[in-house]
PDB file of all heavy atoms in Angstrom:
ATOM      1  N   GLN C  99       1.935  31.382  39.217  1.00  0.00           N
ATOM      2  CA  GLN C  99       3.320  31.810  39.038  1.00  0.00           C
ATOM      3  C   GLN C  99       3.471  33.296  39.319  1.00  0.00           C
ATOM      4  O   GLN C  99       4.517  33.739  39.775  1.00  0.00           O
ATOM      5  CB  GLN C  99       3.757  31.511  37.601  1.00  0.00           C
ATOM      6  CG  GLN C  99       4.061  30.042  37.391  1.00  0.00           C
ATOM      7  CD  GLN C  99       5.255  29.879  36.492  1.00  0.00           C
ATOM      8  OE1 GLN C  99       5.238  30.290  35.344  1.00  0.00           O
ATOM      9  NE2 GLN C  99       6.318  29.304  37.030  1.00  0.00           N
ATOM     10  N   HIS C 100       2.443  34.075  38.990  1.00  0.00           N
ATOM     11  CA  HIS C 100       2.534  35.524  39.184  1.00  0.00           C
ATOM     12  C   HIS C 100       1.381  36.025  40.061  1.00  0.00           C
ATOM     13  O   HIS C 100       0.308  35.448  40.056  1.00  0.00           O
ATOM     14  CB  HIS C 100       2.530  36.237  37.838  1.00  0.00           C
ATOM     15  CG  HIS C 100       3.709  35.844  37.007  1.00  0.00           C
ATOM     16  ND1 HIS C 100       4.960  36.362  37.228  1.00  0.00           N
ATOM     17  CD2 HIS C 100       3.829  34.959  36.001  1.00  0.00           C
ATOM     18  CE1 HIS C 100       5.813  35.808  36.376  1.00  0.00           C
ATOM     19  NE2 HIS C 100       5.160  34.950  35.617  1.00  0.00           N
ATOM     20  N   ARG C 101       1.635  37.120  40.767  1.00  0.00           N
ATOM     21  CA  ARG C 101       0.647  37.588  41.731  1.00  0.00           C
ATOM     22  C   ARG C 101      -0.682  37.970  41.096  1.00  0.00           C
ATOM     23  O   ARG C 101      -1.736  37.751  41.670  1.00  0.00           O
ATOM     24  CB  ARG C 101       1.188  38.763  42.547  1.00  0.00           C
ATOM     25  CG  ARG C 101       1.267  40.086  41.810  1.00  0.00           C
ATOM     26  CD  ARG C 101       1.809  41.187  42.717  1.00  0.00           C
ATOM     27  NE  ARG C 101       1.785  42.499  42.091  1.00  0.00           N
ATOM     28  CZ  ARG C 101       2.599  42.918  41.150  1.00  0.00           C
ATOM     29  NH1 ARG C 101       3.514  42.104  40.679  1.00  0.00           N
ATOM     30  NH2 ARG C 101       2.505  44.136  40.661  1.00  0.00           N
ATOM     31  N   ARG C 102      -0.627  38.564  39.889  1.00  0.00           N
ATOM     32  CA  ARG C 102      -1.852  39.051  39.265  1.00  0.00           C
ATOM     33  C   ARG C 102      -2.897  37.942  39.134  1.00  0.00           C
ATOM     34  O   ARG C 102      -4.063  38.116  39.447  1.00  0.00           O
ATOM     35  CB  ARG C 102      -1.495  39.673  37.893  1.00  0.00           C
ATOM     36  CG  ARG C 102      -2.619  40.160  37.054  1.00  0.00           C
ATOM     37  CD  ARG C 102      -3.236  41.520  37.403  1.00  0.00           C
ATOM     38  NE  ARG C 102      -2.457  42.349  38.211  1.00  0.00           N
ATOM     39  CZ  ARG C 102      -2.819  42.723  39.438  1.00  0.00           C
ATOM     40  NH1 ARG C 102      -3.961  42.318  39.962  1.00  0.00           N
ATOM     41  NH2 ARG C 102      -2.046  43.492  40.148  1.00  0.00           N
ATOM     42  N   GLY C 103      -2.475  36.770  38.639  1.00  0.00           N
ATOM     43  CA  GLY C 103      -3.392  35.650  38.467  1.00  0.00           C
ATOM     44  C   GLY C 103      -3.985  35.194  39.786  1.00  0.00           C
ATOM     45  O   GLY C 103      -5.191  34.944  39.897  1.00  0.00           O
ATOM     46  N   ALA C 104      -3.144  35.105  40.802  1.00  0.00           N
ATOM     47  CA  ALA C 104      -3.605  34.614  42.105  1.00  0.00           C
ATOM     48  C   ALA C 104      -4.619  35.580  42.727  1.00  0.00           C
ATOM     49  O   ALA C 104      -5.685  35.163  43.204  1.00  0.00           O
ATOM     50  CB  ALA C 104      -2.412  34.408  43.045  1.00  0.00           C
ATOM     51  N   ILE C 105      -4.307  36.872  42.696  1.00  0.00           N
ATOM     52  CA  ILE C 105      -5.198  37.861  43.315  1.00  0.00           C
ATOM     53  C   ILE C 105      -6.514  37.959  42.538  1.00  0.00           C
ATOM     54  O   ILE C 105      -7.597  37.937  43.117  1.00  0.00           O
ATOM     55  CB  ILE C 105      -4.507  39.249  43.414  1.00  0.00           C
ATOM     56  CG1 ILE C 105      -3.305  39.180  44.374  1.00  0.00           C
ATOM     57  CG2 ILE C 105      -5.499  40.326  43.873  1.00  0.00           C
ATOM     58  CD1 ILE C 105      -2.455  40.451  44.423  1.00  0.00           C
ATOM     59  N   ASP C 106      -6.410  38.047  41.205  1.00  0.00           N
ATOM     60  CA  ASP C 106      -7.632  38.175  40.397  1.00  0.00           C
ATOM     61  C   ASP C 106      -8.525  36.946  40.521  1.00  0.00           C
ATOM     62  O   ASP C 106      -9.755  37.062  40.519  1.00  0.00           O
ATOM     63  CB  ASP C 106      -7.277  38.418  38.922  1.00  0.00           C
ATOM     64  CG  ASP C 106      -6.774  39.841  38.687  1.00  0.00           C
ATOM     65  OD1 ASP C 106      -6.851  40.668  39.612  1.00  0.00           O
ATOM     66  OD2 ASP C 106      -6.305  40.118  37.568  1.00  0.00           O
ATOM     67  N   ALA C 107      -7.931  35.773  40.629  1.00  0.00           N
ATOM     68  CA  ALA C 107      -8.729  34.544  40.740  1.00  0.00           C
ATOM     69  C   ALA C 107      -9.550  34.547  42.034  1.00  0.00           C
ATOM     70  O   ALA C 107     -10.725  34.161  42.043  1.00  0.00           O
ATOM     71  CB  ALA C 107      -7.825  33.308  40.699  1.00  0.00           C
ATOM     72  N   VAL C 108      -8.944  35.004  43.118  1.00  0.00           N
ATOM     73  CA  VAL C 108      -9.651  35.053  44.399  1.00  0.00           C
ATOM     74  C   VAL C 108     -10.806  36.055  44.320  1.00  0.00           C
ATOM     75  O   VAL C 108     -11.931  35.778  44.751  1.00  0.00           O
ATOM     76  CB  VAL C 108      -8.662  35.416  45.541  1.00  0.00           C
ATOM     77  CG1 VAL C 108      -9.407  35.792  46.812  1.00  0.00           C
ATOM     78  CG2 VAL C 108      -7.727  34.237  45.793  1.00  0.00           C
ATOM     79  N   ASP C 109     -10.513  37.196  43.735  1.00  0.00           N
ATOM     80  CA  ASP C 109     -11.515  38.248  43.566  1.00  0.00           C
ATOM     81  C   ASP C 109     -12.705  37.726  42.733  1.00  0.00           C
ATOM     82  O   ASP C 109     -13.878  37.861  43.118  1.00  0.00           O
ATOM     83  CB  ASP C 109     -10.805  39.394  42.831  1.00  0.00           C
ATOM     84  CG  ASP C 109     -11.430  40.748  43.084  1.00  0.00           C
ATOM     85  OD1 ASP C 109     -12.343  40.838  43.920  1.00  0.00           O
ATOM     86  OD2 ASP C 109     -11.000  41.713  42.433  1.00  0.00           O
ATOM     87  N   PHE C 110     -12.383  37.085  41.626  1.00  0.00           N
ATOM     88  CA  PHE C 110     -13.373  36.504  40.706  1.00  0.00           C
ATOM     89  C   PHE C 110     -14.224  35.436  41.416  1.00  0.00           C
ATOM     90  O   PHE C 110     -15.453  35.449  41.338  1.00  0.00           O
ATOM     91  CB  PHE C 110     -12.599  35.880  39.532  1.00  0.00           C
ATOM     92  CG  PHE C 110     -13.421  35.134  38.516  1.00  0.00           C
ATOM     93  CD1 PHE C 110     -13.974  35.796  37.428  1.00  0.00           C
ATOM     94  CD2 PHE C 110     -13.600  33.755  38.607  1.00  0.00           C
ATOM     95  CE1 PHE C 110     -14.701  35.103  36.463  1.00  0.00           C
ATOM     96  CE2 PHE C 110     -14.335  33.055  37.648  1.00  0.00           C
ATOM     97  CZ  PHE C 110     -14.886  33.734  36.582  1.00  0.00           C
ATOM     98  N   CYS C 111     -13.573  34.531  42.111  1.00  0.00           N
ATOM     99  CA  CYS C 111     -14.304  33.458  42.791  1.00  0.00           C
ATOM    100  C   CYS C 111     -15.213  34.029  43.878  1.00  0.00           C
ATOM    101  O   CYS C 111     -16.362  33.591  44.019  1.00  0.00           O
ATOM    102  CB  CYS C 111     -13.345  32.442  43.412  1.00  0.00           C
ATOM    103  SG  CYS C 111     -12.532  31.411  42.188  1.00  0.00           S
ATOM    104  N   MET C 112     -14.724  34.985  44.639  1.00  0.00           N
ATOM    105  CA  MET C 112     -15.557  35.557  45.710  1.00  0.00           C
ATOM    106  C   MET C 112     -16.771  36.262  45.122  1.00  0.00           C
ATOM    107  O   MET C 112     -17.889  36.104  45.628  1.00  0.00           O
ATOM    108  CB  MET C 112     -14.741  36.518  46.581  1.00  0.00           C
ATOM    109  CG  MET C 112     -13.804  35.823  47.546  1.00  0.00           C
ATOM    110  SD  MET C 112     -14.646  34.607  48.615  1.00  0.00           S
ATOM    111  CE  MET C 112     -15.946  35.623  49.320  1.00  0.00           C
TER     112      MET C 112
END
Side-chain angles (χ1 to χ4, degrees):
Chain C
Q99 283 219 298
H100 298 282
R101 74 180 185 286
R102 176 79 18 244
I105 295 173
D106 286 352
V108 167
D109 205 6
F110 176 88
C111 288
M112 284 306 306

